[in-house]
Amino acid sequence: MRLIPLGFLVVALAGCQLLGGRKTNSGWVVLEKTTGVECGFWPKQEKDLAVNELMLARGAKRGILSAGIKRDGSPNHYYLPFDDEVELEPETMIPLKLGRNAVLLGGAHAGGKPIVDVAFNVLDKAGVEKSTFEVRNAKDNLVRFKGELLPTSVVSGSVTTIGDVQWLVVKREDGDFGVARVGLTKEKFDLQVVPNLAFKDKPVILAAPGGKEGLALGREGTDQTRPFTVRKLGADGRAGNPVSIDLKVDNGVESWDAVQYGTGYNIAYVDGDSLIGQAELKVAGFNWKDDAVNTGWSKGVILKDVHVSDPVFLATSKGLQVMTLNWVDDESTIARYGVAAGSLGKPVYSGIFPKGSRIVEAFNGNDPSESFVIMRHKDDSSWSFKLCRL
């Protein structure tokens, strides 16, 4: 009897596709069109109980950050250098000694070294909770910068790196989202909290034309049929007034995403309620010039009798794609739509995933021809994460 190598078996099973053919529970015909994916589970150290979150650290060299808890109830945080492999080994994980009050926001590269961005919830002299911010080296825990963040505690956050600037989006204790600018120049790090700016819905931060400033896309419009807006985020850390994007929403925005691609921008949103199978995926292109939005084109795909997750953009070596995780009954698959020349292509389906799955991140590897996703689903009472090559 020929033995199957253990590593191959793990990857095959993790990819949710059985050796020797496919076996599905739902009978959903779309699953017969899926292409295979190669997946591996996120590893755990022996002392760790659960992983609560994974996030990608972008830059010249990719890395993956994790946050969870140990078996004794204390938090754990790790940095794992990513080498375009989905079979990950626990011994390659670098522990981040951040402490109990740390909120991991993200990471990048600065000065040729991987860094992590962390918020800390602390008490001031009057006993009132506030938050501070630190940039640390991932490999030796050296604190490279520290500053005051918000006069309130931070629940979660994310990081967008544009050149030598990072834009932080942090969820405050009151549920609103604030924005801060972090300069990463070699001579000096600096932190500027954008004043008088709060979003009810998490914004997406993109590079403004020229790359020296940012754009904050959000849902600030008072007209719910045209809720999307753009604000310029200046190099001085201040925000301009919101400018409406002329995109019509018919039945409410369920979820959305945006991306800069080439010289323009794209936005994707689910219009309607996919949980009852009545929604439409809409994708549009627009430009930003002279502090004004110029809407170009818009295309839609009816999502009939199918549930979908949040749309996620990915600029691949073959062009721009927007992905949704579509599901019926207990199984799901990634639908990948090509976006080009003002058009939206027919979907290509990748992988078969269990009930409750979600695309956490979609990104290119260190080799730009390789595309990956981080997937999450509930396994009993805790999250299970997988890294998949598409």
Side-chain angles (χ1 to χ4, degrees), residues 2 6 10 93 114 132 159 166 180 185 213 216 218 276 282 307 324 340 374:
R2 183 181 177 185
L6 180 59
V10 170
M93 300 165 66
T132 62
V159 176
Q166 289 185 318
T185 58
E213 298 178 309
I276 61 174
K282 295 181 178 179
H307 316 302
T324 60
I374 297 174

Side-chain angles (χ1 to χ4, degrees), residues 38-185:
E38 180 188 6
C39 296
F41 285 102
W42 181 258
K44 288 182 186 177
Q45 300 279 8
E46 184 179 353
K47 59 187 176 182
D48 295 335
L49 177 63
V51 180
N52 296 328
E53 189 175 13
L54 292 188
M55 59 188 73
L56 181 70
R58 300 177 185 270
K61 190 74 173 171
R62 304 288 191 270
I64 300 176
L65 299 164
S66 74
I69 58 173
K70 300 178 182 178
R71 296 185 183 277
D72 62 4
S74 61
N76 63 25
H77 301 93
Y78 293 100
Y79 172 81
L80 188 148
F82 181 62
D83 59 1
D84 291 7
E85 296 295 333
V86 298
E87 291 187 81
L88 306 174
E89 300 297 335
E91 55 267 25
T92 62
M93 300 165 66
I94 300 171
L96 304 173
K97 300 177 182 179
L98 304 180
R100 288 185 176 273
N101 298 322
V103 179
L104 191 60
L105 303 178
H109 264 67
K113 295 181 179 180
I115 60 171
V116 293
D117 301 284
V118 191
F120 292 90
N121 294 322
V122 298
L123 297 178
D124 64 14
K125 293 180 180 179
V128 179
E129 198 165 63
K130 65 176 185 177
S131 54
T132 62
F133 172 77
E134 291 184 6
V135 177
R136 297 189 181 197
N137 287 343
K139 294 185 177 181
D140 61 13
N141 205 37
L142 177 68
V143 177
R144 298 178 65 176
F145 174 79
K146 184 173 182 178
E148 298 291 323
L149 188 54
L150 294 174
T152 182
S153 59
V154 168
V155 177
S156 61
S158 60
V159 176
T160 300
T161 302
I162 301 173
D164 59 0
V165 172
Q166 289 185 318
W167 292 98
L168 311 179
V169 175
V170 290
K171 186 175 184 179
R172 308 183 319 205
E173 188 179 29
D174 61 6
D176 287 352
F177 293 87
V179 178
R181 180 187 186 277
V182 182
L184 298 178
T185 58

Side-chain angles (χ1 to χ4, degrees), residues 220-287:
E220 296 184 89
T222 55
D223 180 359
Q224 292 307 301
T225 65
R226 286 174 172 79
F228 292 108
T229 63
V230 181
R231 284 179 184 260
K232 183 171 72 172
L233 301 173
D236 59 358
R238 296 184 177 275
N241 294 323
V243 179
S244 178
I245 305 176
D246 188 19
L247 292 175
K248 187 178 180 183
V249 174
D250 296 312
N251 299 296
V253 177
E254 181 178 281
S255 55
W256 67 284
D257 191 24
V259 69
Q260 181 192 25
Y261 188 72
T263 59
Y265 302 87
N266 295 97
I267 186 170
Y269 57 101
V270 177
D271 187 344
D273 188 350
S274 74
L275 291 179
I276 61 174
Q278 297 179 9
E280 184 176 3
L281 173 65
K282 295 181 178 179
V283 180
F286 67 92
N287 292 296

